[in-house]
């Protein structure tokens, strides 16, 4: 049986592998003699990969990351002082903007060097609209509506529609429009999102079979409960039957809890108990593109931040987080349509088999695990559609787990 270095790191679930905080990462670490970068050293390989993804020079990518990192740290300190930071986002010029409710808070934000905005619509008001739409979809799924979410940049709720040929979808859109300018309805030609677990050769984490050529997902993050028991945080759809998980033909974990079920209102998060003698490393595999990246924490990145993912199918790809708290409708072939809530949307390229894998920032902050995508093809690192992940911080809170981090 293969063994894995003992370290704690947990992740959220969703489609393509991002962080090598899992067994797939462990195999890469064994094959890659390059030592993990120092916590104080910005991994140059990651900067190069990001530059290629964004179509900019390495110097420009490094400058972008350095500026984002500094502003994120300022935002963290503001949050500790009581300033609301949940609706922060990077604007088109790369400045972190914080939505606040009072002039005093705005002054504090500006004094710290960030931009402040008192929006026309309070974030809580938009959250209430989003919740209303969730409840409507829970009663009867609007199959022609791809997703809906709060857009902090536009200060609105955005509903994305594939088609309104069915009565339920038309009624859903009509209800959304009753909120006037607070809701924007957009149309898309993207394929319906699909969870990315699939049968494929070369599996990194086989689901319910020891056959390495069988169905597979990608490994996410390791975490522990209050008693120290070790778990793998993964996509709920990867262990929907509380499956046994295999690495290189040997069982290493068993699904224990999942919030995903076809045909029901779901959240794509789940956990698997790691078998004795096995573990999930706290360094995300770079697939030969970057050095393995140590997991340092799980601070959520602001909208507009750059993020990279490591996956068994598409390897290491990068992109931008566009929004959080997405509700998505999708269908797996042969399965009933399903509503999945609480996802984050991005431009990162993922494909089937990337499900459950890890997402991480250049600072080593674990962000989530892959759910799926509407990508019909990938151009380099970018997908032609959209991709979604399950945020890690939500998963850890729900299951009462602590992320394993590098020492």
């Amino acid at each position: 049986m293969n063994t894995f270095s003992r370290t704690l790191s947990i992740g959220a679930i969703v489609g393509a592998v991002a962080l090598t905080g899992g067994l797939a990462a462990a195999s890469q670490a064994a094959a890659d003699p390059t030592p993990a970068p120092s916590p104080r050293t910005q991994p140059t390989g990651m900067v190069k990969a990001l530059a290629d993804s964004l179509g900019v020079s390495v110097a420009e990518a490094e400058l972008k990351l350095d500026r984002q990192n500094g502003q994120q740290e300022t935002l963290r300190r503001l949050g500790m002082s009581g300033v609301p930071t949940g609706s922060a986002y990077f604007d088109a010029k790369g400045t972190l903007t914080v939505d606040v409710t009072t002039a005093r808070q705005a002054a504090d934000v500006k004094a710290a060097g960030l931009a402040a905005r008192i929006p026309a619509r309070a974030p809580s008001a938009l959250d209430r609209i989003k919740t209303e739409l969730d409840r409507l979809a829970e009663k009867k799924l609007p199959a022609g509506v791809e997703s809906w979410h709060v857009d902090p940049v536009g200060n609105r709720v955005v509903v994305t529609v594939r088609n309104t040929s069915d009565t339920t979808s038309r009624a859903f859109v009509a209800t959304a429009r009753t909120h006037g300018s607070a809701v924007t309805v957009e149309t898309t030609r993207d394929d319906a999102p699909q969870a990315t677990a699939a049968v494929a050769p070369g599996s990194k984490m086989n689901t319910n079979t020891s056959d390495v050529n069988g169905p597979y997902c990608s490994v996410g993050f390791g975490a522990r409960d209050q008693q120290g028991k070790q778990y793998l945080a993964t996509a709920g759809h990867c262990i929907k039957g509380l499956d046994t998980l295999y690495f290189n033909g040997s069982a290493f974990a068993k699904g224990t809890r999942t919030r995903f079920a076809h045909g029901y209102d779901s959240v794509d998060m789940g956990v698997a108990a790691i078998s004795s003698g096995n573990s999930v490393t706290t360094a995300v595999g770079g697939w030969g593109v970057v050095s393995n990246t140590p997991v340092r924490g799980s601070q959520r990145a602001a909208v507009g931040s750059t993020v990279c993912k490591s996956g068994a199918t598409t390897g290491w790809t990068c992109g931008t987080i566009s929004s959080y708290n997405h509700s998505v409708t999708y269908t797996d072939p042969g399965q009933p349509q399903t509503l999945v809530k609480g996802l984050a949307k991005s431009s990162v390229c993922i494909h089937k088999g990337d499900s459950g894998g890890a997402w991480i920032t250049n600072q080593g902050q674990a962000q989530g695990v892959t759910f799926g995508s509407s990508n019909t093809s990938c151009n380099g690192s970018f997908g032609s559609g959209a991709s979604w992940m399950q945020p890690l911080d939500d998963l850890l809170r729900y299951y009462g787990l602590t992320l394993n981090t590098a020492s």
Side-chain angles (χ1 to χ4, degrees):
M1 172 179 288
N2 290 280
T3 58
F4 309 94
S5 57
R6 195 109 181 140
T7 36
L8 310 172
S9 95
I10 194 168
I13 354 188
V14 221
V17 169
L19 318 182
T20 62
L23 305 176
S27 66
Q28 295 161 3
D32 183 359
T34 304
S38 163
R40 292 188 175 87
T41 302
Q42 192 174 42
T44 56
M46 182 181 286
V47 176
K48 177 63 167 59
L50 179 61
D52 292 342
S53 296
L54 299 179
V56 299
S57 69
V58 171
E60 289 172 318
E62 188 170 10
L63 183 63
K64 179 182 179 72
L65 289 172
D66 286 345
R67 189 179 180 206
Q68 282 192 356
N69 294 344
Q71 292 181 84
Q72 292 270 22
E73 176 59 22
T74 299
L75 183 68
R76 185 189 68 81
R77 292 196 300 268
L78 284 169
M80 295 177 64
S81 69
V83 173
T85 60
S87 294
Y89 62 91
F90 286 98
D91 65 19
K93 295 181 179 180
T95 300
L96 192 54
T97 302
V98 184
D99 280 348
V100 295
T101 57
T102 68
R104 174 61 183 272
Q105 291 173 345
D108 290 343
V109 171
K110 292 176 181 177
L114 304 182
R117 180 181 71 170
I118 300 179
R121 289 174 285 269
S124 59
L126 298 179
D127 287 341
R128 285 193 293 271
I129 295 174
K130 166 68 167 46
T131 299
E132 175 189 334
L133 296 178
D134 283 347
R135 289 172 178 168
L136 183 60
E138 288 164 2
K139 294 177 181 177
K140 195 168 184 180
L141 192 70
V145 181
E146 178 183 273
S147 65
W148 51 100
H149 71 284
V150 174
D151 170 22
V153 181
N155 190 223
R156 58 184 179 163
V157 172
V158 177
V159 178
T160 303
V161 180
R162 286 188 294 270
N163 66 76
T164 53
S165 59
D166 63 290
T167 302
T168 301
S169 296
R170 288 197 298 272
F172 184 93
V173 172
T175 298
R177 290 189 189 278
T178 64
H179 293 284
S181 61
V183 174
T184 297
V185 178
E186 301 177 343
T187 58
T188 179
R189 294 182 180 179
D190 291 340
D191 293 340
Q194 296 183 6
T196 54
V199 176
S203 166
K204 297 302 177 184
M205 183 180 79
N206 292 96
T207 56
N208 221 27
T209 177
S210 60
D211 180 2
V212 296
N213 295 314
Y216 72 98
C217 281
S218 297
V219 176
F221 295 95
R224 63 190 184 276
D225 64 15
Q226 292 182 346
Q227 288 71 46
K229 184 173 178 58
Q230 296 294 310
Y231 289 91
L232 170 69
T234 185
H237 74 269
C238 286
I239 55 168
K240 58 182 180 292
L242 299 184
D243 307 278
T244 297
L245 303 175
Y246 294 81
F247 177 69
N248 278 355
S250 298
F252 76 91
K254 176 72 167 62
T256 56
R257 296 178 68 185
T258 179
R259 299 181 68 189
F260 179 89
H262 282 117
Y264 296 89
D265 305 333
S266 294
V267 178
D268 199 37
M269 60 172 67
V271 292
I274 296 176
S275 306
S276 175
N278 295 310
S279 65
V280 176
T281 71
T282 52
V284 176
W287 294 92
V289 177
V290 300
S291 298
N292 295 344
T293 305
V295 177
R296 301 298 180 190
S298 57
Q299 180 183 346
R300 179 177 290 202
V303 168
S305 296
T306 52
V307 66
C308 296
K309 82 101 192 54
S310 172
T313 301
T314 57
W316 185 271
T317 57
C318 304
T320 301
I321 297 173
S322 59
S323 57
Y324 288 100
N325 198 21
H326 261 250
S327 295
V328 171
T329 66
Y330 83 98
T331 303
D332 273 341
Q335 297 290 346
Q337 292 167 330
T338 304
L339 170 65
V340 181
K341 295 180 288 190
L343 300 172
K345 186 178 181 181
S346 82
S347 61
V348 176
C349 171
I350 65 172
H351 277 313
K352 287 183 178 294
D354 285 331
S355 292
W359 298 53
I360 196 166
T361 68
N362 75 305
Q363 290 181 305
Q365 295 299 314
Q367 296 301 305
V369 294
T370 305
F371 160 68
S373 75
S374 60
N375 296 151
T376 55
S377 64
C378 289
N379 179 14
S381 295
F382 285 107
S384 62
S387 59
W388 287 269
M389 70 163 175
Q390 165 63 50
L392 177 60
D393 53 356
D394 288 343
L395 184 153
L396 295 175
R397 278 193 299 269
Y398 184 82
Y399 289 115
L401 298 173
T402 299
L403 175 67
N404 294 332
T405 57
S407 57

